[in-house]
């Protein structure tokens, strides 16, 4: 079955440590997204990418970095510069079709906590 | 700036009764509107979308939503609620030509037996 796989499901970070969250999709989607979900705040866009080797900052990119070396993969690194990283992180993907915004498909998330 | 408002943090309804989850939006242009549902510790699942055309949109699991341009609203409805509908519901908006979604803060639906 096609879908989006996020790993790990739970992740713990020590102070000063960078951690990388994995996101893989086999839907052949062009666009991929990373969101952060905090209670009562909905989803906020961190980074997005519409094509391989290109990505754009979202609304809360500070303290995060991404890469898009392959169409299927869009890993997110939470750096030590992100002072409040505890959150639920969601990856999504969608096709890009001119004139009709397509729904985004979501993975099941990674819950990141600070040790 | 584009924004989405979900004025109710929680909606409680008895099983078998109709339910409504409210959403209003503010955009400078023609909106594309979406509803998603999230179960605990899971990602979001797409329910339905409005692009153009009929103001009443039908989606998954018996849900529907009504687009009202004059009131800038896109309320989610279901004629008869099920306990299994209990979840967190998100409204989202995007503009034509962009694939970025702006989400509301979510409404928790609790259906009681």
């Amino acid at each position: 079955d096609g879908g989006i796989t996020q790993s790990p499901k739970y992740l713990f970070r020590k102070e000063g440590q960078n951690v990388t969250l994995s996101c893989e999709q086999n839907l052949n989607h062009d666009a991929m997204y990373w969101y952060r979900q905090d209670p009562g705040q909905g989803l906020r866009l961190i980074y997005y990418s519409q094509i391989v080797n290109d990505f754009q900052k979202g609304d809360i990119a500070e303290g995060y970095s991404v890469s898009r070396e392959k169409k299927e993969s869009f890993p997110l690194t939470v750096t030590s510069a992100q002072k409040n990283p505890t959150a639920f992180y969601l990856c999504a993907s969608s096709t890009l079709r001119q004139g009709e915004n397509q729904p985004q498909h979501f993975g099941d998330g990674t819950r990141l906590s600070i040790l | 700036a584009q924004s989405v408002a979900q004025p109710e943090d929680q909606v409680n309804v008895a099983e078998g009764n109709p339910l409504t989850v409210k959403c209003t939006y503010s955009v400078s242009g023609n909106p594309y509107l979406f509803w998603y549902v999230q179960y605990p510790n899971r990602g979001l699942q797409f329910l339905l979308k409005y692009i153009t055309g009929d103001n009443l949109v039908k989606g998954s699991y018996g849900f529907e939503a009504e687009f009202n341009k004059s009131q800038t609203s896109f309320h989610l409805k279901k004629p008869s609620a099920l306990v299994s509908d209990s979840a967190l519901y998100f409204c989202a908006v995007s503009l034509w030509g962009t694939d970025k979604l702006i989400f509301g803060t979510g409404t928790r639906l609790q259906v009681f037996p």
Side-chain angles (χ1 to χ4, degrees):
Chain A
D1 287 338
I4 300 178
T5 301
Q6 290 189 243
S7 62
K9 194 168 180 65
Y10 299 96
L11 187 59
F12 298 93
R13 195 191 89 170
K14 295 179 181 178
E15 293 289 342
Q17 185 181 45
N18 294 352
V19 292
T20 297
L21 285 60
S22 171
C23 178
E24 304 277 335
Q25 55 100 358
N26 61 3
L27 299 166
N28 198 33
H29 284 171
D30 300 295
M32 297 187 74
Y33 315 82
W34 274 106
Y35 294 94
R36 172 179 170 138
Q37 184 177 13
D38 296 282
Q41 294 194 45
L43 276 69
R44 293 181 290 169
L45 183 64
I46 305 173
Y47 269 98
Y48 65 104
S49 168
Q50 295 180 320
I51 195 170
V52 172
N53 292 325
D54 188 42
F55 46 82
Q56 287 77 41
K57 293 181 179 180
D59 300 317
I60 56 165
E62 185 174 353
Y64 300 97
S65 65
V66 293
S67 63
R68 187 89 185 273
E69 297 178 1
K70 300 186 300 181
K71 186 176 184 178
E72 303 80 18
S73 179
F74 192 41
L76 173 74
T77 296
V78 183
T79 74
S80 57
Q82 173 50 244
K83 297 307 179 187
N84 184 24
T86 297
F88 191 49
Y89 291 87
L90 288 164
C91 179
S93 69
S94 69
T95 57
L96 295 177
R97 188 179 302 168
Q98 188 71 10
E100 184 176 328
N101 290 23
Q102 297 300 309
Q104 294 182 11
H105 297 250
F106 285 80
D108 279 340
T110 292
R111 190 167 297 280
L112 176 62
S113 302
I114 296 297
L115 284 178
Chain B
Q2 285 78 245
S3 65
V4 176
Q6 294 183 243
E8 302 155 317
D9 290 335
Q10 180 153 332
V11 170
N12 299 317
V13 64
E15 188 174 32
N17 283 2
L19 70 86
T20 298
V21 182
K22 296 179 180 178
C23 172
T24 59
Y25 64 90
S26 174
V27 299
S28 54
N30 291 324
Y32 290 169
L33 294 155
F34 300 81
W35 275 103
Y36 288 84
V37 60
Q38 184 180 34
Y39 297 98
N41 294 312
R42 301 294 300 275
L44 277 65
Q45 295 178 31
F46 168 72
L47 281 178
L48 51 81
K49 67 178 181 180
Y50 172 81
I51 305 297
T52 60
D54 194 348
N55 289 345
L56 185 63
V57 179
K58 294 189 181 298
S60 306
Y61 313 119
F63 283 94
E64 58 189 28
E66 186 169 13
F67 172 66
N68 187 316
K69 188 173 184 178
S70 63
Q71 297 186 4
T72 62
S73 67
F74 189 57
H75 301 332
L76 181 70
K77 301 181 179 184
K78 188 174 183 181
S80 179
L82 300 172
V83 173
S84 57
D85 292 330
S86 299
L88 187 57
Y89 290 80
F90 288 98
C91 182
V93 66
S94 68
L95 294 178
W96 186 94
T98 77
D99 55 346
K100 290 172 60 178
L101 285 175
I102 299 168
F103 286 88
T105 52
T107 298
R108 187 164 301 281
L109 173 66
Q110 190 72 45
V111 181
F112 295 95

